[in-house]
Amino acid sequence: MTHPQPTQPEETLTALFDYQSRTSKYIIEAKNLCKTYQMGPVEVNAVRGVNLQVHPGEFLVILGVSGSGKSTLLHLLGALDQPTAGKVFVEGLDLSTLNHNQLADVRLRRVGFVFQFFNLMPQLTAQGNIELPLKFADVPSTTAHGRARDLLTRVGLGERRDHVPSELSGGEQQRVAIARALANNPRIILADEPTGNLDTKTGAEIITLIRQLNKTQGLTFVVVGHDARLTTVADRVIEMQDGGFIGERAGGGQERV
Amino acid sequence: MKFRNILGLSFTNMRRRKTRTILTTLGIVVGIMAVVSISSLSGGFEGQITQQLEQGLDTDILTVIPGGGSFFGGSGLSSFQINDTLLIQNITGVISTLGISQTGTTIYNETGGTLDTRIIGVNFTNLETVYGHRLTFSSGDWNQLGSNDSCIVGYLPDPIASTGDNLSAEVLVRVGLNFNYINVSISVGGVLEEAGQSGMLPFDRSIFISIDTYQELFDDSTISTIVVRIEDPDQADAIADEINEAFEDQVLVIVPNFLIDMVSSVFNIMEIFLLAIASIALLVAGISILNIMLVTVMERTREIGIMKSLGAKDRTILSQFLSEAALLGVLGGVIGIIVGLFLAQGMGLMLPALFSGFQGGFGNGDIGFGGSSSFTLVPVLAPETILIAMTFAILVSVIFAIYPARKAAKLDPVKALRYE
Ligand SMILES: Nc1ncnc2c1ncn2[C@@H]1O[C@H](COP(=O)(O)OP(=O)(O)O)[C@@H](O)[C@H]1O
Ligand SMILES: [Mg+2]
């Protein structure tokens, strides 16, 4: 770890977030963000100099071909990875000032990840998968149980709660993953090609679900991928290529509002 | 994350890979099984020997035998003269001494009954002063032993003679330069009640004759053992030292706890040996846990990535793997203790045959230890052995899981998520 390790305890971190989020206009902000991988003698600039502001409640889609740096960018925004240069602010707080445990806490409470390959724990049921982040957050087990049931019902999987991932279809697994991302009530969901591993019809259903969550809950979505249908529901679409942004336009979702 | 939740996930993970879980615990099972079976067997064996020794133990009796150096031989006296008892008699704290000579023989009664036994030559007066308090007569008494050719017959479930009867004994004596069997006649002056044995001196089944008669009969002026009765059992060691001094260390004084101490020390050595074996077994078990855990961490790399992406802290991942290791330890320990106990039971049934030669091994001539002929070995498992075994099972598992668990905790979440 190269970033500084402030001594502030986690309780004051929450207070700091609240203060900063009231003072910051953007829910996510990236400044001159760079991520370079060293592959032997070769340097791979996965993300190069990205500047980004995401508004609270926005549905942002970042489009780009495979290898353009979308996943890397998303990991940096969600405190899963540290940038080589530049800064990320989540709800106004500079991630570069947080220590290892505080970064874990950002992932636990501030952002929810949804992945292309669902990334459910194979040994846990749908219910168990959603309870897991609640347990990480020390939520009492009866509360966690009730909350996981509610979330499963909300994504339309109330009946399937006792099934393990291998007994669920791709679309069902992605719904569980979305419910799990919502477990600790984050205001931000980061989705990495959420329809990339689904058939056309199921993909469309998932897009409808996340758009609905965005509208009804006021959740901020940053969705990366190359599914063109994403652009129809997006508030804003950014084109990415070779680790940088090459264009930005309003999405189809904006027109409907 | 709460400990209960960590434990719950550990259970889930262990159930998921039952075969591997069993295989991982195998080393622990074998190690703990070895400890439990051997220590419970040795515990039972020690208890039994100690019990047998204690049956013949009088805390106010010292036994002096010729020799010195060590119990198993060495230079020194080869036998005592009868006057040697006086050297001991003069020591303060000594109540009385009893010189003993003995030999094996066959006894015939008047109706033709026979008994293979031993004749023990003693001074009757001294026998009374040393053992009078523990010997009672079923017929006759001390006063009827006046004559030198009367004898005392030890307890027999099926008495061979009663007071006033005559016994004949076939004894091997030296006539000129040859040894010949001759018959001697002795009248019975008293028959003893059951009295067991004292130290090396068995009362039951024995025939006691006067030492004068004995020495005349066998043309032998030596005595083989001196039994000493002392006033205060706490003085045993001090008096033993004085006896040694009086005989210039050419004797061996067996204090009441000598044999028990010796048996205990033998078993202490066995236990150290056992501990060494157990340590090696547990070390091997630990290394196998280390190995399998490393494989498990590799296989579960993606899961670790998922947990981290959900906000799990490093210490949560660490405690997750350590708690799985601890559960493996508990499982291995419990199975090991159960299997070890069964193994000990089985060996307890088979071992006595192997150990049966041990009984007659102590003592000289036919005066030995261990009266009972049926020898059973019941394993005894001390509660603290269970506690120690469980502690070690868990400790070894957890210690050897530290490295893999730390490795898991330190995984980079992005790399872990990309891992196929
Ligand atoms: N751990 C890594 N080591 C080296 N290169 C990497 C690593 N992760 C990603 N890259 C490279 O960075 C670039 C961007 O990758 P990624 O962010 O996964 O793109 P996308 O998600 O748009 O497909 C690619 O060229 C990829 O090969
Ligand atoms: Mg990608």
Side-chain angles (χ1 to χ4, degrees):
Chain A
M1 271 323 96
T2 50
H3 57 83
Q5 310 247 321
T7 50
Q8 57 203 14
E10 279 152 35
E11 310 85 67
T12 61
L13 183 66
T14 308
L16 201 55
F17 263 119
D18 292 342
Y19 169 75
Q20 303 249 356
S21 57
R22 269 183 274 120
T23 56
S24 175
K25 187 175 173 215
Y26 306 112
I27 193 161
I28 301 175
E29 194 173 7
K31 287 182 181 164
N32 192 27
L33 203 57
C34 295
K35 180 72 183 181
T36 308
Y37 291 109
Q38 196 71 44
M39 296 280 284
V42 188
E43 276 194 351
V44 181
N45 294 306
V47 173
R48 51 180 101 200
V50 162
N51 287 293
L52 174 68
Q53 291 91 30
V54 183
H55 298 274
E58 191 180 14
F59 196 112
L60 172 68
V61 169
I62 299 173
L63 286 183
V65 295
S66 182
S68 55
K70 307 181 296 294
S71 296
T72 306
L73 174 63
L74 213 59
H75 295 155
L76 293 174
L77 298 182
L80 201 57
D81 204 354
Q82 279 74 53
T84 317
K87 282 189 171 186
V88 175
F89 298 82
V90 170
E91 298 190 345
L93 195 76
D94 184 353
L95 295 188
S96 69
T97 64
L98 303 186
N99 68 23
H100 209 62
N101 280 339
Q102 289 169 331
L103 288 172
D105 219 53
V106 170
R107 300 195 292 270
L108 183 64
R109 299 169 202 279
R110 304 287 156 178
V111 299
F113 277 102
V114 176
F115 299 98
Q116 177 180 0
F117 294 103
F118 323 131
N119 280 348
L120 298 177
M121 296 288 276
Q123 71 272 46
L124 299 179
T125 61
Q127 173 86 21
N129 264 285
I130 299 168
E131 284 179 14
L132 191 60
L134 292 166
K135 286 173 179 172
F136 290 155
D138 287 335
V139 173
S141 54
T142 45
T143 316
H145 192 81
R147 173 134 182 89
R149 285 175 77 109
D150 287 351
L151 285 166
L152 272 171
T153 310
R154 218 191 295 171
V155 297
L157 277 178
E159 307 301 304
R160 311 286 281 163
R161 72 172 63 91
D162 293 326
H163 291 264
V164 289
S166 59
E167 296 164 352
L168 298 173
S169 72
E172 286 171 332
Q173 288 187 58
Q174 197 60 299
R175 282 167 191 269
V176 176
I178 291 166
R180 184 181 64 181
L182 299 173
N184 282 312
N185 272 320
R187 294 174 63 204
I188 304 163
I189 302 292
L190 305 174
D192 191 349
E193 304 193 35
T195 61
N197 207 35
L198 300 173
D199 61 59
T200 317
K201 181 170 167 288
T202 318
E205 284 167 12
I206 292 296
I207 291 172
T208 309
L209 174 66
I210 57 180
R211 177 57 168 169
Q212 180 213 330
L213 289 169
N214 164 251
K215 284 290 154 227
T216 59
Q217 318 279 313
L219 286 166
T220 306
F221 272 83
V222 177
V223 184
V224 305
H226 39 236
D227 189 334
R229 289 172 305 179
L230 287 168
T231 60
T232 63
V233 296
D235 295 322
R236 183 159 61 118
V237 179
I238 293 176
E239 301 271 356
M240 196 172 179
Q241 190 182 306
D242 294 331
F245 291 165
I246 52 165
E248 182 180 323
R249 59 187 154 95
Q254 202 67 294
E255 293 146 27
R256 267 189 255 156
V257 174
Chain B
M1 186 145 95
K2 289 197 185 74
F3 180 66
R4 190 163 48 89
N5 291 330
I6 291 177
L7 219 56
L9 191 54
S10 301
F11 270 118
T12 309
N13 287 333
M14 284 170 67
R15 269 203 304 273
R16 182 161 54 137
R17 299 216 185 279
K18 288 194 188 72
T19 319
R20 167 167 311 175
T21 301
I22 299 293
L23 282 178
T24 315
T25 58
L26 209 59
I28 295 284
V29 169
V30 171
I32 296 300
M33 184 188 74
V35 175
V36 166
S37 61
I38 300 174
S39 75
S40 64
L41 273 180
S42 100
F45 198 40
E46 182 177 8
Q48 225 134 10
I49 286 183
T50 314
Q51 195 193 344
Q52 284 195 8
L53 287 175
E54 276 172 351
Q55 277 170 2
L57 189 78
D58 293 309
T59 54
D60 57 352
I61 297 287
L62 307 183
T63 306
V64 187
I65 55 174
S70 82
F71 181 56
F72 300 102
S75 61
L77 287 175
S78 60
S79 61
F80 295 114
Q81 298 296 317
I82 193 72
N83 283 343
D84 288 342
T85 57
L86 297 177
L87 284 174
I88 299 171
Q89 188 68 62
N90 290 336
I91 294 170
T92 18
V94 171
I95 296 175
S96 183
T97 59
L98 176 68
I100 292 171
S101 278
Q102 52 90 29
T103 189
T105 186
T106 307
I107 297 287
Y108 302 89
N109 66 7
E110 287 159 6
T111 58
T114 65
L115 173 70
D116 288 321
T117 182
R118 63 218 136 219
I119 287 184
I120 301 175
V122 290
N123 179 310
F124 289 145
T125 314
N126 289 0
L127 182 66
E128 187 180 359
T129 52
V130 174
Y131 283 118
H133 63 292
R134 73 176 268 174
L135 298 177
T136 49
F137 287 89
S138 57
S139 71
D141 61 55
W142 295 108
N143 300 325
Q144 291 178 32
L145 300 167
S147 115
N148 268 358
D149 34 317
S150 59
C151 72
I152 301 172
V153 179
Y155 169 81
L156 279 169
D158 199 4
I160 190 167
S162 55
T163 308
D165 289 355
N166 273 314
L167 289 175
S168 37
E170 186 184 62
V171 293
L172 190 63
V173 296
R174 196 175 132 172
V175 180
L177 290 175
N178 300 317
F179 283 90
N180 280 340
Y181 280 103
I182 62 157
N183 275 305
V184 288
S185 178
I186 339 161
S187 70
V188 177
V191 179
L192 293 175
E193 299 268 20
E194 192 167 4
Q197 67 176 48
S198 169
M200 292 176 162
L201 181 65
F203 297 112
D204 300 342
R205 283 181 73 92
S206 298
I207 308 289
F208 293 89
I209 63 171
S210 113
I211 188 76
D212 297 338
T213 311
Y214 185 96
Q215 293 190 339
E216 199 177 308
L217 193 59
F218 296 101
D219 191 17
D220 178 3
S221 64
T222 67
I223 56 174
S224 60
T225 308
I226 300 172
V227 177
V228 184
R229 185 169 169 208
I230 58 174
E231 278 169 13
D232 180 4
D234 292 341
Q235 294 283 302
D237 288 325
I239 292 174
D241 286 346
E242 286 195 54
I243 295 172
N244 267 317
E245 214 171 291
F247 286 94
E248 293 172 356
D249 287 328
Q250 299 196 50
V251 294
L252 185 80
V253 185
I254 301 172
V255 296
N257 284 324
F258 173 84
L259 286 159
I260 290 174
D261 289 349
M262 195 179 74
V263 169
S264 298
S265 71
V266 166
F267 279 99
N268 283 346
I269 291 167
M270 265 183 69
E271 261 154 36
I272 290 168
F273 183 64
L274 168 77
L275 206 73
I277 293 178
S279 310
I280 293 168
L282 287 176
L283 184 75
V284 172
I287 291 169
S288 100
I289 285 185
L290 175 79
N291 253 315
I292 296 176
M293 281 287 239
L294 280 175
V295 173
T296 304
V297 168
M298 213 168 76
E299 280 183 357
R300 288 185 13 207
T301 297
R302 209 180 157 85
E303 281 172 39
I304 295 161
I306 296 171
M307 286 170 80
K308 288 198 158 187
S309 78
L310 295 175
K313 296 192 170 60
D314 288 3
R315 62 166 180 264
T316 305
I317 310 283
L318 185 82
S319 10
Q320 183 62 50
F321 279 90
L322 290 184
S323 112
E324 282 177 38
L327 278 181
L328 286 175
V330 171
L331 188 71
V334 169
I335 296 176
I337 287 171
I338 293 171
V339 176
L341 272 180
F342 275 109
L343 195 73
Q345 293 283 355
M347 277 161 70
L349 294 176
M350 281 156 53
L351 275 182
L354 297 174
F355 276 104
S356 59
F358 185 77
Q359 290 189 82
F362 278 121
N364 49 2
D366 52 358
I367 300 179
F369 285 98
S372 68
S373 53
S374 68
F375 184 68
T376 50
L377 189 47
V378 182
V380 174
L381 185 60
E384 57 265 29
T385 308
I386 297 181
L387 206 75
I388 292 170
M390 280 312 287
T391 310
F392 266 92
I394 297 170
L395 219 61
V396 166
S397 309
V398 172
I399 287 174
F400 280 89
I402 289 176
Y403 175 66
R406 281 178 64 94
K407 212 173 147 134
K410 286 184 182 303
L411 278 177
D412 175 67
V414 174
K415 281 190 191 130
L417 278 173
R418 281 183 200 269
Y419 188 87
E420 292 303 321

